[in-house]
C-alpha cells in the first residue's frame, strides 16, 4: 500500500499551537509521500510547497516536474526560506485569527441562519454547513449569478453525495460572510427540494 498525505491545511488546526504530526510519520518512508505548502499559513500567492518521501521517489518526482517547468520563482523561494524561520510564531498568530473568525462566523450563522447545521471544525478555513432540504448545487449556481461564489458539497464527493452541504469559508473575515449571507439565504429558499423529492 502507498500513502499520499496532503498537509496543506495541517498548520491551520484550531486546538493548539503545536506543530502537526503527519500521519505518514508512523509509516515507512519508502511507501509514503507527504506534500505541504506555505500558502495556507502565510499567503495564498506564495506558491512554494514541498514533498517529503524517500530519496528515490523525490528524485523521480523532481524529474517529472522539470519536464513540466523548471521551478517556482527564485524570489518566492527566498521569501519562503525567510518565513520558515518564523513558522512557530506565524502558526500561533494564524490560528488565533482563525479561532476568532470561526467564533464570529458561528455567531452570525446562529443568529441569521439558525436552521443551518454544522460541526465545529478541528481546523481549516471553512465550515461544512448542512442546509436541510436544499440542493446546494442549485444554490451555488444561483448565488454565483448574483456575485457570491460558494462550493456545494457534491463537488467534494466521488458519488455525487453531500448535496445538502455547502463549504462556507470564514477565513476571509466575518464581514464578507455577513454581506454574502442574505444572498445565500435567498438562494437556499429558491433551491428547496420538494417534499418527498
Amino acid at each position: 500500500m502507498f500513502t499520499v498525505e496532503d498537509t496543506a491545511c495541517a498548520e491551520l488546526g484550531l486546538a493548539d499551537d503545536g506543530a502537526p504530526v503527519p500521519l505518514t510519520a508512523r509509516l515507512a518512508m519508502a511507501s509514503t509521500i507527504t506534500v505541504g505548502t506555505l500558502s495556507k499559513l502565510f499567503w495564498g500567492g506564495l506558491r512554494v510547497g514541498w514533498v517529503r518521501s524517500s530519496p528515490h521517489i523525490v528524485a523521480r518526482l523532481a524529474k517529472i516536474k522539470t519536464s513540466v517547468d523548471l521551478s517556482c520563482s527564485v524570489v518566492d523561494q527566498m521569501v519562503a526560506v525567510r518565513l520558515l524561520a518564523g513558522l512557530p510564531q506565524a502558526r500561533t498568530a494564524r490560528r488565533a485569527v482563525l479561532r476568532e473568525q470561526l467564533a464570529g462566523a458561528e455567531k452570525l450563522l446562529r443568529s441569521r441562519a439558525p436552521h443551518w447545521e454544522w460541526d465545529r471544525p478541528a481546523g481549516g478555513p471553512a465550515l461544512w454547513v448542512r442546509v436541510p432540504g436544499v440542493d446546494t448545487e442549485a444554490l451555488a449556481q444561483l448565488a454565483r449569478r448574483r456575485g457570491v461564489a460558494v462550493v456545494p458539497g457534491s463537488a467534494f464527493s466521488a458519488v455525487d453525495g453531500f448535496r445538502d452541504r455547502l463549504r462556507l469559508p470564514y477565513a476571509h473575515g466575518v464581514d464578507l460572510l455577513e454581506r454574502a449571507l442574505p444572498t445565500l439565504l435567498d438562494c437556499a429558499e429558491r433551491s428547496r427540494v420538494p417534499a418527498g423529492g
Side-chain angles (χ1 to χ4, degrees):
M1 181 168 79
F2 200 87
T3 304
V4 177
E5 182 178 13
D6 179 353
T7 63
C9 288
E11 297 285 359
L12 306 183
L14 300 173
D16 61 46
D17 292 322
V21 177
L23 166 73
T24 53
R26 296 190 176 112
L27 303 173
M29 189 173 276
S31 63
T32 65
I33 295 177
T34 303
V35 295
T37 181
L38 294 178
S39 65
K40 302 293 185 193
L41 183 59
F42 289 103
W43 175 56
L46 184 62
R47 310 306 285 177
V48 175
W50 60 87
V51 175
R52 186 179 303 127
S53 188
S54 69
H56 172 71
I57 292 171
V58 171
R60 283 182 57 201
L61 291 172
K63 188 174 181 180
I64 292 167
K65 182 171 178 6
T66 58
S67 71
V68 179
D69 65 49
L70 295 176
S71 70
C72 70
S73 156
V74 172
V75 172
D76 285 0
Q77 292 178 55
M78 291 171 62
V79 168
V81 168
R82 288 191 176 198
L83 289 173
L84 281 172
L87 190 128
Q89 298 87 345
R91 180 190 303 127
T92 299
R94 180 76 169 123
R95 288 177 178 182
V97 168
L98 284 174
R99 287 181 195 112
E100 184 179 313
Q101 291 170 327
L102 173 59
E106 288 183 311
K107 182 178 178 183
L108 175 68
L109 290 174
R110 279 194 289 275
S111 69
R112 304 250 180 102
H115 55 291
W116 289 10
E117 304 165 358
W118 64 91
D119 292 324
R120 187 165 235 257
L127 286 169
W128 282 100
V129 176
R130 180 174 175 269
V131 187
V134 171
D135 178 356
T136 58
E137 199 165 299
L139 183 162
Q141 288 176 8
L142 289 172
R144 193 172 304 116
R145 290 183 200 137
R146 293 174 57 184
V148 176
V150 289
V151 181
S154 58
F156 295 90
S157 172
V159 293
D160 198 33
F162 309 121
R163 293 191 69 91
D164 63 346
R165 300 292 199 278
L166 190 65
R167 183 179 184 273
L168 209 55
Y170 61 80
H172 299 300
V174 178
D175 292 346
L176 188 60
L177 181 57
E178 190 169 17
R179 287 197 311 269
L181 197 54
T183 299
L184 294 174
L185 287 165
D186 182 57
C187 293
E189 274 308 307
R190 295 169 185 265
S191 304
R192 289 220 162 268
V193 176

